[in-house]
Amino acid sequence: MKRMFNVFFLCLSVCFMVFFVNAASADTSKRDIPLIAAASSIKFALDDVIQKFTSDTGLRVNVSYGSSGNLVSQIRHGAPFQLFLSADEFYVSELKQQGLIQGEGQVYAIGKLALVASKTSPLPLDESLKGVKDFIRSGQLARFAIANPKHAPYGERAQALLKRFGLWNNIQPHLVLGENVSQAAQFVLTGAVQGGIVALSLTISPQFKKEIEYVVLPMDSYPPLKQSMALLNNADTTARLFYQYVLSPKAQSIFQHYGFAQVGTL
């Protein structure tokens, strides 16, 4: 009886050992998946790129989306990102000056702005923003969304465009600022605002396309959105492979599908 008890106890101990080893292995595996910081303007495009990358290589990456400025702040404070995909070159250059990235960074896409409104909004859309101007003059414009120019490159470019068309001072009382360009687009989608200026890549995604209308705004009416990426100093092999994959023809065709201009067109 004692012998049977000892055998039972031994088997039980082995089972517990296997369980904890497997659990620890799974936890380690999860920790080994590199975490990427990415501008919200590329969410739908990058989700497709990641899916294709995993299908082609069997490797996985996790991604956290936000405004470029806020993501940089997280990186400075020790967030465990291994790759940063910004909405412009400025923030990558800033990280370079602080010694937090490898190399100089690389432009991976050229972003575009779009004037958008829900299909139920009365705001007329046109490339010259004449409809927006008329709405302001007639007192019909109540709320208009852009990303916060202080830390979102698409918001900063929207501000520059509105200034160029002579609308900035008059539209400021009506502005609703998104924490990032994705949130600004959500304001338009839900009808919380009558219109807005957001990333073209968000407006042509399946999630938005059925509910909103848009016009592409002239690229010469705002400073170029050269979206740049860089590997952080702690980047592992998978992060490096994904960095290269973003520049591959497969990934670049996905970015172009979502309205980004081809790298080298400026």
Side-chain angles (χ1 to χ4, degrees), residues 56-76:
D56 287 349
T57 67
L59 300 172
R60 294 172 56 200
V61 295
N62 288 330
V63 60
S64 177
Y65 292 104
S67 68
S68 297
N70 284 341
L71 291 171
V72 164
S73 179
Q74 292 175 39
I75 291 170
R76 287 201 202 99

Side-chain angles (χ1 to χ4, degrees), residues 113 129 157-165 197 217 221-222:
L113 292 177
L129 273 63
R157 299 309 195 279
Q159 180 185 48
L161 181 143
L162 289 166
K163 286 182 176 180
R164 178 160 185 172
F165 282 102
I197 296 175
L217 294 170
S221 60
Y222 54 91

Side-chain angles (χ1 to χ4, degrees), residues 130-151:
K130 181 180 182 301
V132 176
K133 187 177 294 185
D134 290 344
F135 245 54
I136 295 174
R137 286 175 178 171
S138 64
Q140 296 180 73
L141 186 66
R143 292 179 297 276
F144 190 87
I146 65 171
N148 193 327
K150 292 183 179 179
H151 52 244

